[in-house]
Amino acid sequence: MEGSHSHLTVTTFLAFLVLSQLQASIQAQDACPEPSAVEIPENNNVGDLVTTIDIPPGATLRLNPPQGSVNPFSLNGTQLLAAIVFDAEQYTTLTAGLVCQKPASSPVSFSITVVVTNVNDNPPVFPQTVYQFNVSELSPENTVLGRVEAQDLDKLDLYYRLIGETSGFNLSSPTVPEILVSSLLDYDKVKNVSLTLFVQDTLPGVSPSYNTSTTIEITILDVDNRPPWFQPCTVYEAGTNLICSSSGYTGRVTLNKKETEPLKLNPGPLYAIDGDSGINEEITYTILGGDDGNLFHIDPITGNISMQKEADTLETITLTVLAAQKINTIQVSSTSVTINVLVESLHLPTFQSPRYQGTVTGVGIMAMDMKNEPLQFLATDADYAATGGLNPNIIYYIDGSSDFSIVGGYLFMTKSLTEANLNLQVVAKDVYNDETATAELLLEVKSVVVPSGGYGSNDMVALGATLGVLLCVCLAIIAFLIIHIRRDRGDWKKLHEINQFKSSLNKGLGGKKEGIQYTNDAFSKDEDGSSTRSGSPNGGTIIQPVEPDTKARDLEKYLSPEEPSVLVQDDAASQSGLDSDDKEKEVRPILTKGRRQDEGYKSVWFKEDIDPEAKEEVVIIPDSRENDSDEEDQEQTDGNREEKEEDTKMPKTRVVFKDTELDREGEHSQDDEVLNINL
């Protein structure tokens, strides 16, 4: 019985449990909903479904709006709808209050929590449009200038990048917007840097994505790390440092004269600036050395050099000048000042003409004046009287123009210019003392166009005409030479006959003879003194030759067998003591027994009673024939008449026979080749 009772108890418990669960399920179906939660993305539309609510059959559902506000939800049956546009940046969660009531039951209130999910709908924003930073030029690498961070209402991760003049600066990382110094800075190279910082709310390629930017201005501060720089100077880079090299200054003073004003120096006044231009500290000046005679004084503030007394020696003085910063005195530098003591100039250079005018046609072509001759500038200096005013220290240039160059006083164009009329100024400068003179130059620039392929037809025509003229000149010269050669052919024939005559004398007469002298009155008056047949240019006479056999026959009666040839020597030449090789001229005599009356025929007459050993001078007896005057040419010019008058005043002619001439048979001496032989 106990076992049966125990089994009943278990069965009863299980049945009770099943009935309880069934009753709870039936009651749950008949109960109103419990509170719950749903999500909705922001930026929704009004009327969008939020959720659907399950209620018991026969039950009713209504909204239970909060007091004092507009319900953001609406109810359509069991559907909960959005009555507004949700913004996750404004509302993260909302609560919808509802009331459920079953028939013959009390109303039951419950709520639904609505979570508004975020959507990327806002770009990131920088708090400032411009950020400014200052940094020293000596700041080490990785120095942090500052942090520039953007804000995003969507609370997304942001990514940064720096663009622009990024030399010397960068970011810590793409997600950490710290501005760092990435390399050494130099104030003298870069004083200000402008950077642009971009930010993006997503990684590249992700959509939707928003970005924005801001400007970063960085000012580099100068540091006192350079000494004074004398001006002007040439700047050189030595690694990361800058060095300013000055070539020094030059000046001039006059011997035994004290200048009252500060000296004028080249290339300009002596002054220095702080090498750190951002600091620009005041500079002081001092003469360190080179002025043993205490001739000069320097103003410590302005750097002007003046004379304390006159210089009494022609010399070159080199001063060493020190420039130092007034506050940071360890920053110093030095330069040289070369002063030449010169003799005073009393005159300025002067152009030969106050105005020049010319034309130029191309680059590298010499300018021509109005006479189509090379345009030359010349300035003289009266201080150089010993050289005719030519001062070797004068140079020339065109004031204010680099388009022209003057070389040796001649003007050349160095740059291609368009056609124009230019009014320029020429300067003559004495580089010894810097004295100058000016003159006006009116220059016409002309264009000479040459075809790109070479010379044009006009050029070829001009060249052909020039060659034609040269050819005509050459032909004329050749014709002139031919005419003279033909005209002188008879003279050469006569010279040949004379040589034959001398040979016949050697053969026919046989021996030598002492110099026997004879007279010939036919030589005293020669009406045809200018002819190559009868005389030389100075009035001498050449004897007309005859056949050699006639001459030999005549000589047999008047000469001994050993008669030598004839040489004529001017008394004036013999008196002057000149060399006989230069003054004696060989004469080709024509010796006849009788005197011939033919016009233009000259004869040599010999006296029969002359002692061969006497060596007397042969006197030319003036011809007294009446018809001599008729033979003169009435058409001779006044110059020829004067020449004939001078011929009649010639000194006595000496005829000498030399045996050495007749011994050379058939030979032509140098004098044989001379057509006109002076007596």
Side-chain angles (χ1 to χ4, degrees), residues 303-316:
N304 291 331
I305 298 177
S306 57
M307 296 189 72
Q308 299 188 112
K309 59 182 179 180
E310 62 185 24
D312 56 3
T313 304
L314 289 173
E315 60 179 338
T316 299

Side-chain angles (χ1 to χ4, degrees), residues 132-191:
Q132 294 182 340
F133 297 96
N134 295 330
V135 58
S136 170
E137 65 173 336
L138 298 183
S139 297
E141 295 183 14
N142 297 322
T143 299
V144 178
L145 274 66
R147 187 183 182 96
V148 180
E149 191 169 8
Q151 298 175 356
D152 189 357
L153 296 177
D154 296 324
K155 306 300 181 181
L156 301 177
D157 292 334
L158 301 179
Y159 303 91
Y160 300 88
R161 58 192 176 95
L162 195 63
I163 65 173
E165 300 178 15
T166 58
S167 176
F169 303 94
N170 58 14
L171 292 173
S172 294
S173 71
T175 58
V176 180
E178 288 181 343
I179 311 299
L180 305 180
V181 176
S182 61
S183 62
L184 295 179
L185 306 176
D186 189 345
Y187 174 85
D188 295 287
K189 292 182 178 179
V190 179
K191 296 177 176 60

Side-chain angles (χ1 to χ4, degrees), residues 460-509:
M460 300 308 295
V461 170
L463 178 61
T466 303
L467 295 177
V469 171
L470 293 176
L471 180 59
C472 292
V473 172
C474 293
L475 292 176
I477 294 174
I478 292 172
F480 176 79
L481 294 175
I482 292 174
I483 293 173
H484 277 269
I485 290 173
R486 289 182 177 178
R487 180 182 300 173
D488 297 336
R489 185 174 297 170
D491 295 329
W492 289 102
K493 183 177 180 181
K494 293 170 186 176
L495 290 174
H496 179 66
E497 292 174 352
I498 292 172
N499 287 326
Q500 290 181 344
F501 165 69
K502 292 192 294 183
S503 299
S504 64
L505 288 178
N506 280 335
K507 294 179 180 180
L509 300 179

Side-chain angles (χ1 to χ4, degrees), residues 36-56:
S36 63
V38 296
E39 291 183 352
I40 184 173
E42 65 176 340
N43 302 326
N44 61 286
N45 295 319
V46 175
D48 285 351
L49 178 64
V50 176
T51 186
T52 300
I53 305 171
D54 293 330
I55 59 174

Side-chain angles (χ1 to χ4, degrees), residues 591-609:
L591 308 178
T592 61
K593 182 176 182 180
R595 182 173 182 176
R596 300 179 61 176
Q597 299 299 326
D598 296 341
E599 181 179 357
Y601 192 92
K602 308 302 177 184
S603 302
V604 179
W605 288 77
F606 302 90
K607 295 175 65 175
E608 295 182 356
D609 55 350

Side-chain angles (χ1 to χ4, degrees), residues 83 146 176 207 219 252 353 382 415 521 551:
V176 180
S207 181
T219 300
R252 300 178 177 89
S353 173
K415 180 181 178 182
D521 58 352
K551 301 170 190 175

Side-chain angles (χ1 to χ4, degrees), residues 45-105:
N45 295 319
V46 175
D48 285 351
L49 178 64
V50 176
T51 186
T52 300
I53 305 171
D54 293 330
I55 59 174
T60 60
L61 189 66
R62 71 177 184 272
L63 289 173
N64 186 16
Q67 297 180 356
S69 62
V70 178
N71 199 328
F73 302 99
S74 63
L75 191 63
N76 183 15
T78 60
Q79 291 182 339
L80 184 64
L81 304 178
I84 62 173
V85 177
F86 301 126
D87 185 358
E89 287 76 35
Q90 184 178 3
Y91 308 104
T92 57
T93 61
L94 294 172
T95 301
L98 299 169
V99 175
C100 176
Q101 186 175 7
K102 295 185 293 182
S105 298

